Amino acid sequence: MLFHLTTDDHIGIINEQGPAETDTAGSTFASERDLHALAKEWPMKRLVEIWNRLPGVHAVARFTDRKTAIARIWRAIQPQTGAHRPSVRPRHKTAQHQPAFREGSKAAQVLTLLCRPEGATLKEIRSQTGWQAHTVRGFISRNLSKQSRKVRSFERDGERVYRLKL
């Protein structure tokens, strides 16, 4: 399969049956290696523009390096079949990804307290772990919320209560 890069940074497929409609011979390529040779002198901004003009891709502001950019562009322009590659790949599997804490650790104890239907008060967590209030809040913020766990915080009888949303 032969690809053609237009002057406005769109990539098209050149049909083997018909005549090739190319402006310059240097803007066609048939492999990732050819694309790499073609793009070795291009500024990275041009590779970003080419990527962002491809249909069905998530726009990017920049690539980490030239090799990554060319590899991603090459994979994106390959003919796709439904069995070979899904159109959109989920980034995070929130339902299956659960934080794993070492059994018996303070983190595991806090997680057990937060999983209770009534949740746990800040005072209960502090007495169980020996942590200060800011440490408890930091643990919830950093280790649970950032791992796609939803923690509900509310007041009951004037005390702060935390509970995991299940």
Side-chain angles (χ1 to χ4, degrees):
M1 188 173 292
L2 193 60
F3 297 94
H4 171 67
L5 181 67
T6 64
T7 55
D8 58 344
D9 293 334
H10 287 282
I11 295 179
I13 299 172
I14 297 176
N15 222 348
E16 292 180 8
Q17 291 87 13
E21 298 177 12
T22 60
D23 298 332
T24 61
S27 62
T28 60
F29 56 96
S31 69
E32 185 175 354
R33 180 179 286 172
D34 293 346
L35 178 59
H36 192 21
L38 184 66
K40 69 181 177 184
E41 299 297 323
W42 294 347
M44 288 296 287
K45 278 185 169 184
R46 185 169 185 197
L47 293 172
V48 170
E49 285 296 320
I50 291 170
W51 172 260
N52 289 338
R53 291 178 185 203
L54 292 172
V57 298
H58 294 287
V60 297
R62 64 186 202 110
F63 287 108
T64 55
D65 57 28
R66 184 174 304 279
K67 184 178 177 182
T68 302
I70 292 171
R72 286 182 66 186
I73 291 169
W74 179 252
R75 280 194 310 267
I77 63 174
Q78 295 306 301
Q80 301 172 9
T81 61
H84 289 210
R85 196 169 107 189
S87 60
V88 177
R89 188 177 74 220
R91 290 192 172 221
H92 301 289
K93 295 181 179 178
T94 56
Q96 294 176 354
H97 177 66
Q98 303 297 327
F101 298 114
R102 192 181 71 243
E103 190 175 330
S105 67
K106 290 182 180 183
Q109 293 171 7
V110 172
L111 186 62
T112 303
L113 288 172
L114 296 178
C115 287
R116 298 184 310 187
E118 69 273 10
T121 64
L122 182 60
K123 188 184 282 186
E124 288 174 325
I125 298 170
R126 289 185 61 198
S127 66
Q128 179 82 24
T129 60
W131 290 346
Q132 294 184 12
H134 69 274
T135 307
V136 173
R137 290 189 299 269
F139 172 80
I140 290 170
S141 170
R142 176 72 177 173
N143 293 345
L144 298 178
S145 298
K146 301 255 174 153
Q147 294 179 2
S148 300
R149 290 282 196 142
K150 302 293 182 195
V151 180
R152 182 170 174 238
S153 171
F154 55 95
E155 281 198 28
R156 183 187 325 133
D157 300 327
E159 283 190 284
R160 178 61 50 191
V161 179
Y162 298 98
R163 182 176 66 205
L164 280 176
K165 291 182 183 178
L166 301 175

